[in-house]
Amino acid sequence: MTDPISAPGAPACDSPALYSQTPTDERGNFVYSGDLLRSNETFAALCARIAAHLRDLYPDLQVSLTRLSFAGGRKIRLAICDAPIDLRDPAVRDPLLLALRDQIERFGFARANFYQDYSAVSFYSEVAIGKAYWAALAARTEQQNPVEPRMSLAQFKRTIKVGDTLIMVHAPWQGRYFGVERTVDAVRSGDIIIAGSYLTLPRAPEFACDGRHIRIAVGDASNPDAHLLYIWTRRSA
């Protein structure tokens, strides 16, 4: 794997200028143009180029790239899904996030003046550690309440029905629903309504179900193995 700290974040003298290393002048002007910028490029083509570039630079890093379009512009959201390094330490994690953003910004431009509250960019960017990474890290280190993934998330969505019941038996916090049997009121594409409350369904890497137990990873840097565990009882036919 390319060194995530020294290689992209500290380029050689003949390497292109990076976004994070571009200074703001004394009048508050910030001007940056990436060396990989192309004019009149579609958003889809731009994101495809960025994804290919990151695969080449970080072949052992698994990432998810999402493109968003809205009234105020465009946004590229990058989430790290897995990596062969432990990112709990900010001294390791923060330089990697900065280096990844610098690589994304090489495909765009930015013009701003902080004193005049002016900003124009070709796209906004966001780089973060995805919950899938913390789930993968926990699986490699120590994992409490493991669940055999016998049923995929897609299969689970097709199988769970209104009238089924769920009991939360583990969570990283104590709440009013802990240990309480609740009935499924509705099943939607992104969540399940249980007794009037919402259970947001995760991405596939953060989900495990053996047909009886449901495990949803909600980990972060302070607790990679944080998760929700439910007992699922299907309604009698």
Side-chain angles (χ1 to χ4, degrees):
M1 178 181 177
T2 304
D3 186 338
I5 301 174
S6 61
C13 59
D14 58 346
S15 297
L18 296 176
Y19 181 89
S20 66
Q21 298 173 343
T22 302
T24 300
D25 69 18
E26 66 279 0
R27 296 183 178 181
N29 294 306
F30 178 83
V31 179
Y32 177 80
S33 291
D35 60 301
L36 301 177
L37 173 66
R38 290 180 184 174
S39 60
N40 301 319
E41 184 175 29
T42 67
F43 198 23
L46 168 66
C47 291
R49 280 205 303 133
I50 292 174
H53 175 73
L54 295 178
R55 284 195 300 269
D56 289 342
L57 193 60
Y58 298 96
D60 295 329
L61 198 66
Q62 295 182 26
V63 300
S64 171
L65 190 148
T66 305
R67 64 179 191 266
L68 304 169
S69 297
F70 50 94
R74 308 178 298 179
K75 185 173 186 177
I76 295 173
R77 181 178 295 160
L78 183 79
I80 297 176
C81 299
D82 201 2
I85 53 176
D86 191 334
L87 297 176
R88 282 176 288 188
D89 185 353
V92 177
R93 180 176 68 248
D94 294 348
L96 175 59
L97 296 177
L98 179 63
L100 285 167
R101 188 183 180 198
D102 272 338
Q103 293 303 317
I104 292 174
E105 294 293 347
R106 290 177 64 190
F107 292 79
F109 70 81
R111 308 283 186 272
N113 186 287
F114 299 109
Y115 298 136
Q116 299 176 10
D117 194 24
Y118 165 76
S119 177
V121 298
S122 52
F123 56 81
Y124 299 95
S125 64
E126 176 186 330
V127 180
I129 310 295
K131 291 189 182 299
Y133 169 81
W134 302 118
L137 178 64
R140 287 194 297 268
T141 53
E142 52 181 320
Q143 189 179 56
Q144 184 183 9
N145 301 319
V147 172
E148 186 71 23
R150 298 173 186 164
M151 179 180 291
S152 69
L153 179 59
Q155 290 174 317
F156 171 74
K157 289 180 182 180
R158 293 194 299 266
T159 305
I160 190 169
K161 305 295 183 184
V162 172
D164 291 359
T165 60
L166 294 175
I167 302 175
M168 179 188 290
V169 294
H170 176 88
W173 56 79
Q174 290 290 334
R176 59 176 176 164
Y177 296 124
F178 193 83
V180 177
E181 183 178 67
R182 292 181 292 157
T183 301
V184 174
D185 297 327
V187 180
R188 306 190 297 189
S189 60
D191 58 28
I192 298 172
I193 301 177
I194 317 170
S197 64
Y198 296 86
L199 171 61
T200 300
L201 294 173
R203 293 176 178 269
E206 301 145 30
F207 177 87
C209 179
D210 60 8
R212 171 67 171 166
H213 301 90
I214 300 165
R215 192 182 196 276
I216 298 175
V218 293
D220 56 23
S222 62
N223 184 6
D225 192 39
H227 62 279
L228 307 176
L229 184 68
Y230 292 88
I231 294 177
W232 171 27
T233 301
R234 305 187 200 186
R235 180 188 60 186
S236 299

